[in-house]
Amino acid sequence: MKVLITGANGQLGRALVKRLQGCQILALGSADMDITDCKKTFQTIVSYRPEAVIHAAAYTSVDAAETDVHLAYAVNAIGTQNVAAACLECRAKLVYVSTDYVFDGLLGRAYHEFDQTNPQSVYGKSKLAGERLARHIVNRLFIVRTSWLYGDGNNFVKTMLRLGQEKEELRVVNDQYGCPTNVADLAGVIVQLIEGKRYGVYHAANFGVTTWFDFARKIFALTGNQQIRLLPQSTSELGRPAPRPAYSPLHNFMLELTYGQQMRPWEEALNEYLAI
Ligand SMILES: NC(=O)c1ccc[n+]([C@@H]2O[C@H](COP(=O)([O-])OP(=O)(O)OC[C@H]3O[C@@H](n4cnc5c(N)ncnc54)[C@H](OP(=O)(O)O)[C@@H]3O)[C@@H](O)[C@H]2O)c1
């Protein structure tokens, strides 16, 4: 299959390139194709004539987006519109990667694909805008919502490992719940989806629920760091600019319904990541 990947220098993009080794792929970073450039995006995608486009590029700085509203929407909404328009032209399947931050976190249980969205942050709103624009333009669409990613790039696991070397004591948020997800597992699900035609919205997160605090505790336990003292901290104490959902674990209901499968537990996926 001929596949074009946007955001190829990002965490998920790198995992996709690895996963699709042996396939015919065009992997593009922002220097190759700025997705906010409508004409260039259209020309680049249409001239390659991919069978599938995996759109992993995004403005991902959740806090900065609160003040950088224009750019967040330009990339996440209009950039997606540009990519989708090119997919329509060359009849390519499109995967749009989205986020648990499209939910408000107030439901009190894990969110499935048929639950109501209600993003609270600019990042979440701009990602939902991308979902909607993609839906307006293409039918052969997979919207894949995921959460708390870690892989090859800047992420929470790497931050904890670095701080674990520098500090004796660390305060970590213990009132936000979600599903940490290994990008290698997510890439596997995306590749499986594009091989079929079961279009729709999919949640794809490693199984199980945790807090950032317990996630950190597990990282240090698995790497044998017994010296670090972890202290729980509330979201309001941390005082970050962007509101985050308090409880936004993703239930991979569509994967269960269509493929009868679940993703492996987050602890197992983390263990493998740390062992590499
Ligand atoms: N990280 C998470 O925890 C998380 C959680 C839920 C959902 N997601 C979603 O998952 C997807 C992948 O996330 P990630 O963690 O892999 O992101 P990432 O590491 O931040 O990578 C995002 C990539 O997007 C590219 N990009 C940004 N602006 C662009 C533009 N104008 N034109 C073209 N490319 C542009 C960047 O390319 P260059 O490096 O080449 O500049 C960057 O490498 C995103 O859609 C994100 O919204 C992420």
Side-chain angles (χ1 to χ4, degrees):
M1 182 181 270
K2 204 171 165 188
V3 182
L4 185 145
I5 301 167
T6 73
N9 298 322
Q11 297 193 90
L12 175 59
R14 285 170 196 262
L16 285 164
V17 169
K18 217 167 161 184
R19 185 83 191 192
L20 286 164
Q21 257 173 19
C23 297
Q24 202 180 343
I25 59 168
L26 182 61
L28 302 173
S30 63
D32 311 306
M33 182 181 78
D34 180 342
I35 59 168
T36 64
D37 182 338
C38 178
K39 203 170 158 192
K40 167 97 184 181
T41 301
F42 191 83
Q43 282 171 350
T44 308
I45 296 177
V46 170
S47 65
Y48 185 64
R49 297 230 152 252
E51 292 163 82
V53 172
I54 306 176
H55 176 33
Y59 182 103
T60 55
S61 305
V62 177
D63 288 317
E66 292 299 307
T67 44
D68 208 2
V69 181
H70 191 277
L71 187 58
Y73 274 90
V75 176
N76 294 343
I78 304 307
T80 302
Q81 185 188 47
N82 294 338
V83 171
C87 289
L88 178 68
E89 176 70 17
C90 55
R91 302 175 61 82
K93 297 175 182 179
L94 171 62
V95 178
Y96 172 66
V97 185
S98 192
T99 168
D100 58 323
Y101 284 15
V102 297
F103 296 112
D104 59 21
L106 301 173
L107 189 61
R109 62 157 170 78
Y111 286 92
H112 61 58
E113 293 83 348
F114 308 103
D115 285 321
Q116 197 57 246
T117 53
N118 184 27
Q120 298 300 297
S121 60
V122 170
Y123 168 72
K125 288 174 186 171
S126 67
K127 290 294 293 183
L128 182 62
E131 287 190 14
R132 289 182 174 154
L133 286 165
R135 278 184 214 242
H136 284 310
I137 299 167
V138 289
N139 295 323
R140 297 180 191 83
L141 174 66
F142 303 97
I143 292 172
V144 180
R145 297 191 189 124
T146 190
S147 61
W148 297 23
L149 292 183
Y150 58 88
D152 184 0
N154 290 329
N155 59 62
F156 181 79
V157 182
K158 288 206 177 145
T159 303
M160 287 301 112
L161 292 175
R162 178 175 49 79
L163 292 176
Q165 298 301 314
E166 295 169 5
K167 296 179 182 271
E168 289 172 0
E169 194 176 279
L170 212 51
R171 291 167 71 77
V172 184
V173 169
N174 76 334
D175 58 0
Q176 286 172 34
Y177 293 78
C179 309
T181 301
N182 186 328
V183 287
D185 292 13
L186 175 60
V189 169
I190 290 173
V191 170
Q192 178 186 346
L193 288 175
I194 60 169
E195 282 165 352
K197 292 183 177 173
R198 307 190 79 164
Y199 303 109
V201 181
Y202 287 82
H203 288 180
N206 279 126
F207 184 79
V209 180
T210 189
T211 62
W212 293 110
F213 181 81
D214 281 328
F215 187 16
R217 199 152 56 180
K218 191 74 185 170
I219 293 163
F220 292 123
L222 288 172
T223 51
N225 185 336
Q226 288 153 358
Q227 304 83 43
I228 190 96
R229 214 156 71 87
L230 283 181
L231 301 171
Q233 185 180 37
S234 69
T235 300
S236 59
E237 277 174 322
L238 185 62
R240 301 281 285 275
R244 285 161 168 80
Y247 196 90
S248 59
L250 296 174
H251 174 187
N252 303 342
F253 196 26
M254 277 288 282
L255 276 179
E256 283 171 12
L257 291 170
T258 56
Y259 289 94
Q261 83 187 42
Q262 190 41 268
M263 289 174 71
R264 64 179 165 167
W266 70 268
E267 297 95 329
E268 197 181 315
L270 175 65
N271 193 21
E272 186 177 283
Y273 175 78
L274 291 170
I276 291 171

